[in-house]
PDB file of all heavy atoms in Angstrom:
ATOM      1  N   TYR A   3       1.231   5.511   0.320  1.00 98.00           N
ATOM      2  CA  TYR A   3       0.710   6.566   1.306  1.00 98.00           C
ATOM      3  C   TYR A   3       0.841   7.946   0.683  1.00 98.00           C
ATOM      4  O   TYR A   3       1.756   8.240   0.046  1.00 98.00           O
ATOM      5  CB  TYR A   3       1.304   6.388   2.737  1.00 98.00           C
ATOM      6  CG  TYR A   3       0.840   5.150   3.421  1.00 98.00           C
ATOM      7  CD1 TYR A   3       1.245   3.983   3.077  1.00 98.00           C
ATOM      8  CD2 TYR A   3      -0.139   5.254   4.543  1.00 98.00           C
ATOM      9  CE1 TYR A   3       0.771   2.792   3.692  1.00 98.00           C
ATOM     10  CE2 TYR A   3      -0.537   4.157   5.157  1.00 98.00           C
ATOM     11  CZ  TYR A   3      -0.128   2.900   4.694  1.00 98.00           C
ATOM     12  OH  TYR A   3      -0.621   1.747   5.421  1.00 98.00           O
ATOM     13  N   ILE A   4       0.087   8.837   1.198  1.00 98.00           N
ATOM     14  CA  ILE A   4       0.087  10.395   0.851  1.00 98.00           C
ATOM     15  C   ILE A   4       0.007  11.144   2.151  1.00 98.00           C
ATOM     16  O   ILE A   4      -0.777  10.811   2.992  1.00 98.00           O
ATOM     17  CB  ILE A   4      -1.087  10.795   0.009  1.00 98.00           C
ATOM     18  CG1 ILE A   4      -1.100   9.726  -1.205  1.00 98.00           C
ATOM     19  CG2 ILE A   4      -0.931  12.163  -0.396  1.00 98.00           C
ATOM     20  CD1 ILE A   4      -2.355   8.802  -1.040  1.00 98.00           C
ATOM     21  N   VAL A   5       0.866  12.162   2.325  1.00 98.00           N
ATOM     22  CA  VAL A   5       0.743  13.046   3.436  1.00 98.00           C
ATOM     23  C   VAL A   5      -0.322  14.144   3.028  1.00 98.00           C
ATOM     24  O   VAL A   5      -0.279  14.693   1.995  1.00 98.00           O
ATOM     25  CB  VAL A   5       2.100  13.851   3.609  1.00 98.00           C
ATOM     26  CG1 VAL A   5       2.060  14.666   4.937  1.00 98.00           C
ATOM     27  CG2 VAL A   5       3.160  12.682   3.793  1.00 98.00           C
ATOM     28  N   ILE A  63       5.858   6.522   0.426  1.00 98.00           N
ATOM     29  CA  ILE A  63       5.028   7.762   0.552  1.00 98.00           C
ATOM     30  C   ILE A  63       5.231   8.442  -0.710  1.00 98.00           C
ATOM     31  O   ILE A  63       6.356   8.748  -1.076  1.00 98.00           O
ATOM     32  CB  ILE A  63       5.410   8.736   1.715  1.00 98.00           C
ATOM     33  CG1 ILE A  63       5.047   8.057   2.998  1.00 98.00           C
ATOM     34  CG2 ILE A  63       4.764  10.114   1.560  1.00 98.00           C
ATOM     35  CD1 ILE A  63       5.554   8.685   4.178  1.00 98.00           C
ATOM     36  N   ILE A  64       4.189   8.614  -1.524  1.00 97.00           N
ATOM     37  CA  ILE A  64       4.221   9.028  -2.859  1.00 97.00           C
ATOM     38  C   ILE A  64       3.945  10.507  -3.159  1.00 97.00           C
ATOM     39  O   ILE A  64       4.405  11.033  -4.230  1.00 97.00           O
ATOM     40  CB  ILE A  64       3.137   8.327  -3.785  1.00 97.00           C
ATOM     41  CG1 ILE A  64       1.746   8.387  -3.317  1.00 97.00           C
ATOM     42  CG2 ILE A  64       3.706   6.804  -3.910  1.00 97.00           C
ATOM     43  CD1 ILE A  64       0.743   7.837  -4.332  1.00 97.00           C
ATOM     44  N   GLY A  65       3.421  11.257  -2.180  1.00 98.00           N
ATOM     45  CA  GLY A  65       3.263  12.697  -2.471  1.00 98.00           C
ATOM     46  C   GLY A  65       2.708  13.438  -1.330  1.00 98.00           C
ATOM     47  O   GLY A  65       2.339  12.822  -0.300  1.00 98.00           O
ATOM     48  N   VAL A  66       2.307  14.705  -1.475  1.00 98.00           N
ATOM     49  CA  VAL A  66       1.703  15.465  -0.294  1.00 98.00           C
ATOM     50  C   VAL A  66       0.658  16.356  -0.898  1.00 98.00           C
ATOM     51  O   VAL A  66       0.843  16.947  -1.983  1.00 98.00           O
ATOM     52  CB  VAL A  66       2.856  16.404   0.320  1.00 98.00           C
ATOM     53  CG1 VAL A  66       3.815  17.053  -0.679  1.00 98.00           C
ATOM     54  CG2 VAL A  66       2.195  17.294   1.504  1.00 98.00           C
ATOM     55  N   GLY A  67      -0.380  16.270  -0.244  1.00 98.00           N
ATOM     56  CA  GLY A  67      -1.623  17.171  -0.553  1.00 98.00           C
ATOM     57  C   GLY A  67      -1.719  18.191   0.520  1.00 98.00           C
ATOM     58  O   GLY A  67      -1.619  17.956   1.622  1.00 98.00           O
ATOM     59  N   ILE A  68      -2.011  19.469  -0.036  1.00 98.00           N
ATOM     60  CA  ILE A  68      -2.092  20.625   0.858  1.00 98.00           C
ATOM     61  C   ILE A  68      -3.413  21.435   0.713  1.00 98.00           C
ATOM     62  O   ILE A  68      -3.697  21.698  -0.385  1.00 98.00           O
ATOM     63  CB  ILE A  68      -0.924  21.600   0.466  1.00 98.00           C
ATOM     64  CG1 ILE A  68       0.499  20.924   0.438  1.00 98.00           C
ATOM     65  CG2 ILE A  68      -0.970  22.823   1.417  1.00 98.00           C
ATOM     66  CD1 ILE A  68       1.476  21.688  -0.350  1.00 98.00           C
ATOM     67  N   ARG A  95       2.608  25.278  -2.656  1.00 98.00           N
ATOM     68  CA  ARG A  95       2.806  23.944  -3.032  1.00 98.00           C
ATOM     69  C   ARG A  95       4.260  23.677  -3.319  1.00 98.00           C
ATOM     70  O   ARG A  95       4.730  22.675  -2.859  1.00 98.00           O
ATOM     71  CB  ARG A  95       1.985  23.786  -4.385  1.00 98.00           C
ATOM     72  CG  ARG A  95       2.054  22.230  -4.870  1.00 98.00           C
ATOM     73  CD  ARG A  95       1.496  22.249  -6.266  1.00 98.00           C
ATOM     74  NE  ARG A  95       2.315  22.943  -7.245  1.00 98.00           N
ATOM     75  CZ  ARG A  95       1.964  23.059  -8.536  1.00 98.00           C
ATOM     76  NH1 ARG A  95       0.840  22.907  -8.873  1.00 98.00           N
ATOM     77  NH2 ARG A  95       2.733  23.875  -9.400  1.00 98.00           N
ATOM     78  N   ASP A  96       4.959  24.430  -4.185  1.00 98.00           N
ATOM     79  CA  ASP A  96       6.289  24.138  -4.640  1.00 98.00           C
ATOM     80  C   ASP A  96       7.283  24.274  -3.418  1.00 98.00           C
ATOM     81  O   ASP A  96       8.226  23.383  -3.200  1.00 98.00           O
ATOM     82  CB  ASP A  96       6.845  24.891  -5.859  1.00 98.00           C
ATOM     83  CG  ASP A  96       6.044  24.588  -6.940  1.00 98.00           C
ATOM     84  OD1 ASP A  96       5.312  23.531  -6.986  1.00 98.00           O
ATOM     85  OD2 ASP A  96       6.141  25.318  -7.971  1.00 98.00           O
ATOM     86  N   ILE A  98       6.582  23.761  -0.188  1.00 98.00           N
ATOM     87  CA  ILE A  98       6.489  22.512   0.728  1.00 98.00           C
ATOM     88  C   ILE A  98       6.981  21.222   0.032  1.00 98.00           C
ATOM     89  O   ILE A  98       7.647  20.423   0.581  1.00 98.00           O
ATOM     90  CB  ILE A  98       5.015  22.435   1.208  1.00 98.00           C
ATOM     91  CG1 ILE A  98       4.578  23.485   2.104  1.00 98.00           C
ATOM     92  CG2 ILE A  98       4.762  21.030   1.890  1.00 98.00           C
ATOM     93  CD1 ILE A  98       3.081  23.535   2.586  1.00 98.00           C
ATOM     94  N   GLY A  99       6.501  21.209  -1.256  1.00 98.00           N
ATOM     95  CA  GLY A  99       7.102  19.959  -2.211  1.00 98.00           C
ATOM     96  C   GLY A  99       8.476  19.824  -2.005  1.00 98.00           C
ATOM     97  O   GLY A  99       9.195  18.703  -1.805  1.00 98.00           O
ATOM     98  N   THR A 100       9.326  20.958  -2.239  1.00 98.00           N
ATOM     99  CA  THR A 100      10.733  20.918  -2.224  1.00 98.00           C
ATOM    100  C   THR A 100      11.257  20.460  -0.831  1.00 98.00           C
ATOM    101  O   THR A 100      12.168  19.741  -0.726  1.00 98.00           O
ATOM    102  CB  THR A 100      11.278  22.327  -2.761  1.00 98.00           C
ATOM    103  OG1 THR A 100      10.690  22.686  -3.914  1.00 98.00           O
ATOM    104  CG2 THR A 100      12.707  22.434  -2.746  1.00 98.00           C
ATOM    105  N   LEU A 102       9.972  18.765   1.366  1.00 98.00           N
ATOM    106  CA  LEU A 102       9.698  17.398   1.756  1.00 98.00           C
ATOM    107  C   LEU A 102      10.351  16.478   0.645  1.00 98.00           C
ATOM    108  O   LEU A 102      10.333  15.308   0.980  1.00 98.00           O
ATOM    109  CB  LEU A 102       8.263  17.223   1.871  1.00 98.00           C
ATOM    110  CG  LEU A 102       7.543  17.867   2.938  1.00 98.00           C
ATOM    111  CD1 LEU A 102       6.073  17.643   3.053  1.00 98.00           C
ATOM    112  CD2 LEU A 102       8.127  17.574   4.471  1.00 98.00           C
ATOM    113  N   GLY A 103      10.767  16.940  -0.427  1.00 98.00           N
ATOM    114  CA  GLY A 103      11.183  16.050  -1.516  1.00 98.00           C
ATOM    115  C   GLY A 103      10.118  15.250  -2.246  1.00 98.00           C
ATOM    116  O   GLY A 103      10.447  14.016  -2.488  1.00 98.00           O
ATOM    117  N   LEU A 104       8.917  15.822  -2.216  1.00 98.00           N
ATOM    118  CA  LEU A 104       7.798  14.865  -2.738  1.00 98.00           C
ATOM    119  C   LEU A 104       6.976  15.821  -3.706  1.00 98.00           C
ATOM    120  O   LEU A 104       7.035  17.130  -3.615  1.00 98.00           O
ATOM    121  CB  LEU A 104       6.845  14.592  -1.669  1.00 98.00           C
ATOM    122  CG  LEU A 104       7.241  13.559  -0.569  1.00 98.00           C
ATOM    123  CD1 LEU A 104       6.381  13.566   0.680  1.00 98.00           C
ATOM    124  CD2 LEU A 104       7.401  12.272  -1.233  1.00 98.00           C
ATOM    125  N   PRO A 105       6.287  15.101  -4.716  1.00 98.00           N
ATOM    126  CA  PRO A 105       5.427  15.927  -5.483  1.00 98.00           C
ATOM    127  C   PRO A 105       4.251  16.419  -4.663  1.00 98.00           C
ATOM    128  O   PRO A 105       3.770  15.684  -3.748  1.00 98.00           O
ATOM    129  CB  PRO A 105       5.027  14.828  -6.561  1.00 98.00           C
ATOM    130  CG  PRO A 105       5.344  13.631  -6.062  1.00 98.00           C
ATOM    131  CD  PRO A 105       6.428  13.702  -5.028  1.00 98.00           C
ATOM    132  N   ALA A 106       3.732  17.543  -4.972  1.00 98.00           N
ATOM    133  CA  ALA A 106       2.690  18.099  -4.173  1.00 98.00           C
ATOM    134  C   ALA A 106       1.628  18.596  -5.031  1.00 98.00           C
ATOM    135  O   ALA A 106       1.702  18.872  -6.188  1.00 98.00           O
ATOM    136  CB  ALA A 106       3.244  19.246  -3.315  1.00 98.00           C
ATOM    137  N   ALA A 107       0.290  18.796  -4.279  1.00 98.00           N
ATOM    138  CA  ALA A 107      -0.836  19.334  -4.955  1.00 98.00           C
ATOM    139  C   ALA A 107      -1.484  20.237  -3.813  1.00 98.00           C
ATOM    140  O   ALA A 107      -1.327  19.984  -2.678  1.00 98.00           O
ATOM    141  CB  ALA A 107      -1.800  18.171  -5.235  1.00 98.00           C
ATOM    142  N   LEU A 108      -2.031  21.315  -4.385  1.00 98.00           N
ATOM    143  CA  LEU A 108      -2.692  22.413  -3.517  1.00 98.00           C
ATOM    144  C   LEU A 108      -4.236  22.383  -3.791  1.00 98.00           C
ATOM    145  O   LEU A 108      -4.608  22.378  -4.984  1.00 98.00           O
ATOM    146  CB  LEU A 108      -2.042  23.779  -3.777  1.00 98.00           C
ATOM    147  CG  LEU A 108      -2.669  24.807  -2.966  1.00 98.00           C
ATOM    148  CD1 LEU A 108      -2.410  24.816  -1.496  1.00 98.00           C
ATOM    149  CD2 LEU A 108      -2.107  26.177  -3.596  1.00 98.00           C
ATOM    150  N   TYR A 313      -4.420  15.253  -3.698  1.00 98.00           N
ATOM    151  CA  TYR A 313      -3.202  14.804  -4.332  1.00 98.00           C
ATOM    152  C   TYR A 313      -3.368  13.723  -5.262  1.00 98.00           C
ATOM    153  O   TYR A 313      -2.894  13.709  -6.432  1.00 98.00           O
ATOM    154  CB  TYR A 313      -2.122  14.461  -3.210  1.00 98.00           C
ATOM    155  CG  TYR A 313      -0.921  13.821  -4.049  1.00 98.00           C
ATOM    156  CD1 TYR A 313       0.079  14.635  -4.534  1.00 98.00           C
ATOM    157  CD2 TYR A 313      -0.807  12.510  -4.195  1.00 98.00           C
ATOM    158  CE1 TYR A 313       1.074  14.186  -5.225  1.00 98.00           C
ATOM    159  CE2 TYR A 313       0.280  11.965  -4.959  1.00 98.00           C
ATOM    160  CZ  TYR A 313       1.122  12.778  -5.566  1.00 98.00           C
ATOM    161  OH  TYR A 313       2.212  12.291  -6.302  1.00 98.00           O
ATOM    162  N   MET A 316      -4.837  14.992  -8.538  1.00 94.00           N
ATOM    163  CA  MET A 316      -3.950  15.554  -9.446  1.00 94.00           C
ATOM    164  C   MET A 316      -3.041  14.487  -9.994  1.00 94.00           C
ATOM    165  O   MET A 316      -2.886  14.512 -11.326  1.00 94.00           O
ATOM    166  CB  MET A 316      -3.198  16.641  -8.627  1.00 94.00           C
ATOM    167  CG  MET A 316      -2.165  17.286  -9.535  1.00 94.00           C
ATOM    168  SD  MET A 316      -0.596  17.722  -8.643  1.00 94.00           S
ATOM    169  CE  MET A 316       0.170  16.098  -8.392  1.00 94.00           C
ATOM    170  N   ALA A 317      -2.591  13.592  -9.294  1.00 94.00           N
ATOM    171  CA  ALA A 317      -1.648  12.526  -9.746  1.00 94.00           C
ATOM    172  C   ALA A 317      -2.513  11.631 -10.877  1.00 94.00           C
ATOM    173  O   ALA A 317      -1.706  11.213 -11.918  1.00 94.00           O
ATOM    174  CB  ALA A 317      -1.389  11.620  -8.767  1.00 94.00           C
TER     175      ALA A 317
END
Side-chain angles (χ1 to χ4, degrees):
Y3 287 73
I4 307 103
V5 182
I63 296 173
I64 56 171
V66 52
I68 304 156
R95 179 192 68 194
D96 290 350
I98 292 176
T100 304
L102 298 177
L104 289 168
L108 174 70
Y313 171 81
M316 184 210 67

